[in-house]
Amino acid sequence: MSSPGRQAGPISRILQPIRARLILAAVLAGTGSMLTLVPLAGIAHIAGIALDPAIAKAQPGIWTTILASVACLFAGMALISLGELAAHLADNRITHQLRLQTMQRLGQVPLGWFTSRASGEVKQAMQDDINTLHSLTAHFYTATGRAVGAIAISVLYLFAMDWRLALIAILPFPGFFLFFGRAMKASGGNMEQFVAGMGRINNAVVEFVNGIPVVKAFGATGRAHGSYRTAVDAFAEAFAAFTRPLIGSMASANALIAPVAVLGVVVLAGTACVAMGWMAPVDILPFALVAPGISAPMLLLHYLTHDLNNATGAAQRVQALLDTPVLAQPAPPQQQVPAGTEIRLEGVGYAYDGQSQVLSDINLTLPPGTVTAIVGASGAGKSTLARLLLRFFDPTEGRITLGGVDLQHIATAELYRRIGFVLQEVRLIHASVRDNIALGRPSASLQQIEAAARLANIHDCIVALPRGYDSVVGEDAQLSGGELQRVSIARAVLLDPAVLVLDEATAAADAENEVAIQDALSRFAHGRTLLVVAHRLDTVMHADHIVVVENGAIVEQGTHAALLVDNGRYAQLWRLGGYQGSTDKAELPC
């Protein structure tokens, strides 16, 4: 049985701070397990005295044996309890550390890291996987110690009684591992199909559940049920192929070390030894009492292997989270304060994971107090450009400066005091509306928060909630997408930044909310430097500067009128959007 420290790196690294405590806990539990088995030897000794009183003259008597057995039993129970206490204290310590470390790590990773991951993935590592590690830290070591201790003391005792019968009595246990290994090898070839089947059925379930409204609306039940049924049938076949080799071998393995089977081996072998004059009948009793007891700890070791495998996967995910690259922060001597609000992008390029090129050779200047609009078809790189300006991630080429200072030399708190943003994906925390608006400025007064909410056209909606500004988002504050967007605008208003980045701020709003959002943004943006990412051209036609992005590069830039005269890509998008000769709003083609 291999210990967790010998597993792959993640478990070893995670358990390093408490390894000594866990080893001590295992030793205490193992020693206690040994002591609790002493009464079995005491019973065998008392039975021997009862059958042959002459034994008492050369060995301890009945009362001495009883007292020693009881003392060992209570001492063993005390040591096991101490071991469990030590393990749980160690678990409490490492759980506390891991939660703090993951929280601190996530506070340092680039904001763009979150946009590429589902919240469930982060939640699994921070909550579920750390909970899974509890079985490893709080129970695995002590359970292993108890099992190994019980097996070790039992085998030593049996060999001390009679090595010949001891060899025969433990023969079923190597056979157990032989059958178990054969079962694992037989089913291992079908593991890939089993995992693939699990993936297919998960996808089919999600597809089926998400498609229920469409199925009901159009009555396509047969087709929807068919894909789900196909996935279930395929999984059933994969599951049968995976488990079929296990059934026979595991049944044989478990039957081989069943206490009744071990006892039968002991009785038959002991009878033969007595017949050959190797031992007296009373000498078989210790083997009959102790040998069958080895079965339980042996099976426990087998089950602990599965727990260790689960813990290994959890440890890998937690360690991967702890190893997430953080956003480089300038040391205090290297921190610089921007002189002004001019933004410059100089030869900027970006590639996701250093491979998939999204932007290349972007050169752009945003003069103070001007509105610059980024337009282009879906997937052109508009949002990536905006997120680079917000330092959700750093460029892989070139640099971005604010007031002549590279963003990488500006402290994060200083940067977000100067650059505010309103994105399409609104993120609010599970807290009151007041706390959500004041998230970037916790010291703000209620009057300042209300003023920001009025400017964002959301104040009337908030006061209509059951508890007004104290209403909790997700509980008694059920806000629509447009209302959530206006709360995020109020949050930006309260920070009062000199630079504002708007990324599709009205894309998910209905007509009524869009008017309110546009009005709020127009009042808030006055006098600020704006970078606007837009999908509808008519919303930015009055911008000071319009930049057309195509395939990650700037292909045109200028004013609305000049770009229409040039009759290039912008003019083509304008015509394709249906704006020519009309003031109706239309979406850009994807």
Side-chain angles (χ1 to χ4, degrees):
M1 186 72 185
S2 58
S3 69
R6 294 180 181 176
Q7 294 296 317
I11 286 186
S12 179
R13 293 170 61 185
I14 285 177
L15 297 186
Q16 184 60 39
I18 59 170
R19 183 179 306 282
R21 297 188 182 194
L22 293 178
I23 293 175
L24 175 61
V27 171
L28 289 173
T31 305
S33 180
M34 292 180 179
L35 290 175
T36 57
L37 293 178
V38 170
L40 290 178
I43 292 173
H45 181 66
I46 292 172
I49 293 176
L51 294 174
D52 187 2
I55 297 177
K57 298 179 181 180
Q59 299 181 16
I62 293 177
W63 286 109
T64 302
T65 302
I66 291 174
L67 292 175
S69 297
V70 171
C72 287
L73 177 62
F74 281 101
M77 293 171 60
L79 289 177
I80 291 175
S81 299
L82 286 175
E84 293 290 347
L85 176 62
H88 279 78
L89 290 176
D91 169 70
N92 185 64
R93 177 188 175 191
I94 197 65
T95 299
H96 177 71
Q97 287 184 355
L98 287 176
R99 295 196 190 283
L100 287 180
Q101 289 172 3
T102 53
M103 180 185 67
Q104 293 168 355
R105 193 72 174 189
L106 292 179
Q108 298 172 354
V109 301
L111 293 177
W113 182 86
F114 294 95
T115 61
S116 62
R117 284 162 178 81
S119 58
E121 180 181 345
V122 179
K123 183 259 184 187
Q124 180 183 13
M126 290 192 68
Q127 184 68 28
D128 302 340
D129 289 333
I130 291 180
N131 286 341
T132 299
L133 289 176
H134 167 78
S135 63
L136 175 69
T137 52
H139 302 291
F140 178 86
Y141 275 82
T142 52
T144 302
R146 292 198 310 271
V148 171
I151 294 172
I153 194 64
S154 298
V155 172
L156 289 175
Y157 175 72
L158 294 180
F159 273 91
M161 293 294 98
D162 189 286
W163 66 270
R164 294 163 298 189
L165 186 54
L167 281 175
I168 299 173
I170 65 173
L171 279 179
F173 300 105
F176 168 80
F177 288 105
L178 179 64
F179 279 106
F180 177 71
R182 183 181 300 173
M184 292 297 102
K185 184 178 180 180
S187 63
N190 299 306
M191 177 61 75
E192 185 176 346
Q193 291 86 343
F194 176 76
V195 174
M198 283 288 291
R200 285 193 296 270
I201 200 171
N202 286 337
N203 293 335
V205 168
V206 173
E207 180 183 355
F208 178 71
V209 172
N210 290 340
I212 284 178
V214 177
V215 170
K216 287 187 175 181
F218 294 96
T221 54
R223 182 179 304 174
H225 292 166
S227 60
Y228 176 68
R229 189 182 301 110
T230 300
V232 171
D233 292 341
F235 174 74
E237 293 178 3
F239 181 77
F242 174 74
T243 56
R244 193 177 295 114
L246 289 173
I247 296 174
S249 296
M250 288 308 301
S252 300
N254 289 328
L256 196 61
I257 64 168
V260 173
V262 176
L263 180 61
V265 171
V266 169
V267 171
L268 290 175
T271 302
C273 291
V274 171
M276 289 185 287
W278 291 355
M279 58 173 50
V282 71
D283 295 333
I284 302 176
L285 184 59
F287 292 88
L289 290 172
V290 174
I294 301 177
S295 300
M298 191 68 71
L299 286 173
L300 178 60
L301 288 177
H302 163 57
Y303 294 136
L304 288 173
T305 303
H306 293 284
D307 291 340
L308 181 59
N309 291 335
N310 292 334
T312 300
Q316 289 173 342
R317 290 186 290 271
V318 172
Q319 192 60 55
L321 187 62
L322 294 175
D323 291 339
T324 302
V326 299
L327 192 66
Q329 293 293 324
Q334 298 176 333
Q335 292 180 5
Q336 301 179 35
V337 178
T341 58
E342 181 183 72
I343 295 176
R344 297 177 64 89
L345 291 84
E346 304 171 356
V348 169
Y350 181 74
Y352 284 114
D353 299 324
Q355 297 177 351
S356 179
Q357 193 73 26
V358 180
L359 296 173
S360 58
D361 197 26
I362 301 294
N363 293 281
L364 185 63
T365 299
L366 280 65
T370 62
V371 178
T372 300
I374 309 295
V375 301
S378 296
K382 308 185 299 295
S383 294
T384 301
L385 184 58
R387 282 161 170 73
L388 284 173
L389 181 59
L390 297 172
R391 213 187 170 202
F392 276 29
F393 25 70
D394 289 326
T396 51
E397 301 172 5
R399 69 171 190 156
I400 303 175
T401 63
L402 171 63
V405 179
D406 192 317
L407 296 187
Q408 298 186 40
H409 296 155
I410 304 175
T412 299
E414 183 69 26
L415 177 66
Y416 291 126
R417 275 197 294 267
R418 296 170 180 270
I419 300 182
F421 56 89
V422 179
L423 306 180
Q424 179 180 349
E425 306 90 0
V426 180
R427 304 293 185 188
L428 299 185
I429 63 174
H430 185 74
S432 67
V433 176
R434 180 209 306 255
D435 292 338
N436 270 281
I437 295 176
L439 191 61
R441 189 180 167 190
S443 61
S445 65
L446 180 59
Q447 290 74 21
Q448 292 171 321
I449 293 173
E450 289 181 354
R454 286 191 175 93
L455 186 59
N457 282 336
I458 192 63
H459 173 72
D460 293 340
C461 295
I462 295 175
V463 295
L465 294 172
R467 289 188 289 159
Y469 280 85
D470 291 325
S471 300
V472 176
V473 173
E475 292 183 4
D476 49 358
Q478 302 294 339
L479 304 177
S480 67
E483 291 167 343
L484 292 173
Q485 190 66 278
R486 280 182 276 163
V487 171
S488 71
I489 294 173
R491 179 191 295 166
V493 168
L494 190 61
L495 287 174
D496 194 26
V499 180
L500 184 62
V501 176
L502 305 176
D503 184 6
E504 305 279 8
T506 63
D510 55 29
E512 182 180 354
N513 272 302
E514 182 177 4
V515 172
I517 292 171
Q518 290 283 15
D519 179 61
L521 291 175
S522 298
R523 287 185 287 165
F524 176 43
H526 183 70
R528 289 179 168 82
T529 303
L530 257 70
L531 176 70
V532 182
V533 175
H535 204 61
R536 291 200 297 260
L537 299 187
D538 60 338
T539 62
V540 295
M541 59 185 295
H542 300 297
D544 299 305
H545 195 65
I546 299 175
V547 178
V548 183
V549 178
E550 188 85 8
N551 296 323
I554 296 177
V555 295
E556 282 184 310
Q557 51 184 314
T559 63
H560 170 74
L563 290 172
L564 287 180
V565 170
D566 290 342
N567 198 29
R569 179 58 175 159
Y570 180 83
Q572 180 186 11
L573 293 172
W574 181 264
R575 291 192 297 270
L576 290 174
Y579 303 105
Q580 191 172 14
S582 172
T583 59
D584 294 339
K585 295 180 180 179
E587 294 275 342
L588 280 177
C590 294

